[in-house]
Amino acid sequence: MGLTSEIIVQALKLKGLRVTPQRYAVYANLLSRCDHPTVEQLVVDLNKNFPVSSQATVYSSLKALQEAGLIREVLLEEGVSRYDANVQPHHHFRCRQCGHIEDIDWAAFPPLALNCLRPGLQPERYEVTVHGLCDPCQL
Amino acid sequence: MGLTSEIIVQALKLKGLRVTPQRYAVYANLLSRCDHPTVEQLVVDLNKNFPVSSQATVYSSLKALQEAGLIREVLLEEGVSRYDANVQPHHHFRCRQCGHIEDIDWAAFPPLALNCLRPGLQPERYEVTVHGLCDPCQL
DNA sequence: CTTTGTGCAAACGATTTGCAGGATG
DNA sequence: CATCCTGCAAATCGTTTGCACAAAG
C-alpha cells in the first residue's frame, strides 16, 4: 500500500466514514482523474479489470463522499451528474461541441465583488462557467 | 389580441416556427414570469383554467423555442431543467435552502478577461452563478 | 456483536419517442 | 394538400429504494 493509499484511508476515517473497498476505489479513482466523470463512466472504469463495485454502491459511495465534503457534484449539462474530487473553489470550462469539461484555476479571474447584488440576497460563494470550444473541436 | 400577443406571434414566425396555440401559450407564459419554471410547473400553470397543452407538447414546444433561440435552458440543480425567456447574457443567483433562482443583471460584475485561460481553449461566453440564501431563508 | 455497507432488482421521476389523427401555412 | 404539430401511451434513462446478506470497527 503506497503513500497515497494511506492518505486516502486516513481521509475517509477522518470524516467518520467506514473504509470499504468500494468507497476507497471510488474516491481513489476520482482523485486520479482530472475530468469530471459521470456515474456510468465511474462504474465502467472501476470494474474494467475485475468486479469492484455495483452501480448502486457507486451511487451510495458518491453520496457518502459528497456529504463528507470529500467530493463535489458538478452540474454542467442536462440529465447527468458529474463528480469532482477537487473541492477547492474553482471555475469550469465546458466545450459545447464534445461536452469536455475542465477546471479553470480560481486565480484565473480577479475576485468578484458580491456587494452589487440586490439587497436581501446573502451570497456565500460563486463560480464562473465558461462555454466554448476545446482544442480538438476547433476545425 | 393585444400588442404583446402580436409581437409574440411575429417572433415565432420570424424564427420559422408555426404558430400553434400550445407554442404560443408556452412562450407567452415564459415571457410573463421572472422565475425559471420547470416543465411540470409550466404544464400545471398553462392548464390551470382549461386544458391548453399536454405535457409531451410542452416538452416539444420548449425544444422548438430553444432551437429557435427564443428561450434558454437553465441548469442549476439536479434532476430538472428550468426554462428562461431571457436570452440576453445574465448571471444567476440560487438559494441553497429553497432553490429559488433569480437573474442577476449582466452589469452587476465587471467584464471578465477570458484570455487568461489555457491556450487551446476558445471561449465564447461565460456566466457567473452565485450561491447563497434568499431573503425568506435568512432566519 | 452491533452498526453500516453491499448487491440485486424493483421502483421512480423526468424526459423522449412512436404513431394516428388534426391543425397550419 | 403537404407538412408539421398534438396528444396519448409506452419506452428510456439516470437515480433511488427495499431488503437479505456480508463486512467493518
Side-chain angles (χ1 to χ4, degrees):
Chain A
M1 188 181 263
L3 183 55
T4 311
S5 316
E6 196 50 47
I7 290 177
I8 294 178
V9 170
Q10 288 312 315
L12 293 171
K13 285 189 176 172
L14 269 174
K15 297 293 185 176
L17 295 179
R18 283 193 180 177
V19 181
T20 69
Q22 293 77 5
R23 230 167 241 179
Y24 176 93
V26 168
Y27 189 38
N29 187 296
L30 273 179
L31 281 171
S32 76
R33 47 204 300 182
C34 54
D35 59 343
H36 301 64
T38 64
V39 177
E40 157 114 58
Q41 291 170 335
L42 273 172
V43 171
V44 170
D45 198 26
L46 288 175
N47 301 316
K48 185 166 292 177
N49 301 316
F50 55 91
V52 169
S53 177
S54 73
Q55 177 174 269
T57 299
V58 173
Y59 273 103
S60 112
S61 298
L62 288 169
K63 192 188 210 175
L65 290 166
Q66 186 180 2
E67 285 168 354
L70 292 173
I71 65 172
R72 77 154 70 155
E73 193 180 26
V74 179
L75 299 175
L76 289 176
E77 65 196 300
E78 198 211 349
V80 277
S81 294
R82 295 175 171 274
Y83 290 88
D84 188 353
N86 178 3
V87 292
Q88 298 307 310
H90 60 278
H91 309 293
H92 284 112
F93 178 92
R94 173 165 198 270
C95 177
R96 69 163 157 80
Q97 193 82 50
C98 68
H100 166 74
I101 291 169
E102 70 180 62
D103 287 352
I104 300 174
D105 197 81
W106 183 255
F109 303 120
L112 295 180
L114 296 182
N115 50 15
C116 307
L117 300 184
R118 114 174 138 63
L121 297 183
Q122 186 176 100
E124 295 175 337
R125 65 183 187 86
Y126 70 90
E127 66 212 0
V128 177
T129 305
V130 180
H131 303 260
L133 292 176
C134 67
D135 321 48
C137 291
Q138 299 169 29
L139 299 184
Chain B
M1 190 181 260
L3 182 56
T4 311
S5 316
E6 195 50 47
I7 291 175
I8 295 177
V9 171
Q10 288 311 314
L12 293 172
K13 284 189 178 172
L14 270 174
K15 297 293 184 176
L17 295 179
R18 284 192 178 176
V19 181
T20 69
Q22 292 78 4
R23 231 167 240 180
Y24 176 93
V26 168
Y27 188 38
N29 187 295
L30 273 179
L31 281 172
S32 76
R33 46 204 300 181
C34 54
D35 58 342
H36 301 63
T38 64
V39 177
E40 157 115 58
Q41 290 170 335
L42 273 173
V43 171
V44 170
D45 199 25
L46 288 175
N47 302 315
K48 185 166 293 178
N49 301 316
F50 55 91
V52 169
S53 176
S54 73
Q55 178 173 271
T57 300
V58 172
Y59 272 104
S60 111
S61 298
L62 288 169
K63 193 188 210 174
L65 289 166
Q66 186 179 2
E67 285 168 353
L70 291 174
I71 65 173
R72 78 155 67 157
E73 193 181 27
V74 180
L75 299 174
L76 288 177
E77 65 196 299
E78 198 210 349
V80 277
S81 294
R82 294 175 172 275
Y83 291 87
D84 189 352
N86 178 2
V87 291
Q88 297 307 310
H90 60 276
H91 309 294
H92 284 112
F93 178 93
R94 173 166 200 269
C95 177
R96 68 161 157 79
Q97 193 81 50
C98 69
H100 167 74
I101 292 167
E102 70 181 63
D103 287 352
I104 299 174
D105 197 82
W106 182 254
F109 303 120
L112 295 180
L114 296 182
N115 51 15
C116 307
L117 300 185
R118 114 175 138 61
L121 298 183
Q122 186 176 99
E124 295 175 338
R125 64 183 186 87
Y126 70 91
E127 67 213 0
V128 177
T129 305
V130 181
H131 303 259
L133 293 176
C134 67
D135 321 46
C137 291
Q138 300 170 29
L139 300 184

